[in-house]
Amino acid sequence: VDKKTIKTDDIEISRFGVVNPIQNNIKIIASDADINYNFDLYTVNGIKVLKKRNITGNLNENIDLPQGIYYYRITNKDSILDTGKIISIKN
């Protein structure tokens, strides 16, 4: 493989778009409207602050979080589908 070629097997494309930063509302956009998943949100200390189960399609969840950094994990019954960071801001 030369430097100009990218093998698609080497690229991982997320199936979820997480709107960032947030203000009292978490929005997750699923690229596949039929995918069923779970969403967990944690503080930087590992404390779970939100647990949503059996979500199909997009998630739009009102939540009042203190300003700061949070980590999320999106799973299904078989595996971890996505992980990342969410920043909560206040005006």
Side-chain angles (χ1 to χ4, degrees):
V1 178
D2 66 291
K3 292 182 182 178
K4 296 179 184 174
T5 304
I6 298 174
K7 291 175 43 181
T8 55
D9 295 348
D10 297 335
I11 299 174
E12 183 177 322
I13 299 172
S14 177
R15 293 180 260 184
F16 301 94
V18 179
V19 177
N20 232 333
I22 66 168
Q23 287 183 324
N24 300 322
N25 188 278
I26 293 175
K27 292 181 184 176
I28 299 173
I29 301 162
S31 63
D32 181 352
D34 296 327
I35 192 168
N36 187 279
Y37 62 96
N38 305 311
F39 178 83
D40 295 308
L41 187 66
Y42 301 88
T43 67
V44 293
N45 297 321
I47 298 168
K48 191 181 291 185
V49 293
L50 180 63
K51 174 181 174 178
K52 299 298 286 184
R53 296 290 175 258
N54 298 315
I55 304 161
T56 302
N58 298 336
L59 173 68
N60 192 356
E61 181 75 17
N62 290 325
I63 185 169
D64 186 24
L65 294 171
Q67 184 167 311
I69 298 172
Y70 297 83
Y71 294 95
Y72 68 86
R73 182 172 57 189
I74 298 173
T75 59
N76 64 13
K77 64 180 179 177
D78 299 320
S79 62
I80 297 173
L81 303 175
D82 196 16
T83 61
K85 180 175 25 176
I86 290 177
I87 298 171
S88 175
I89 60 174
K90 300 288 183 186
N91 279 342

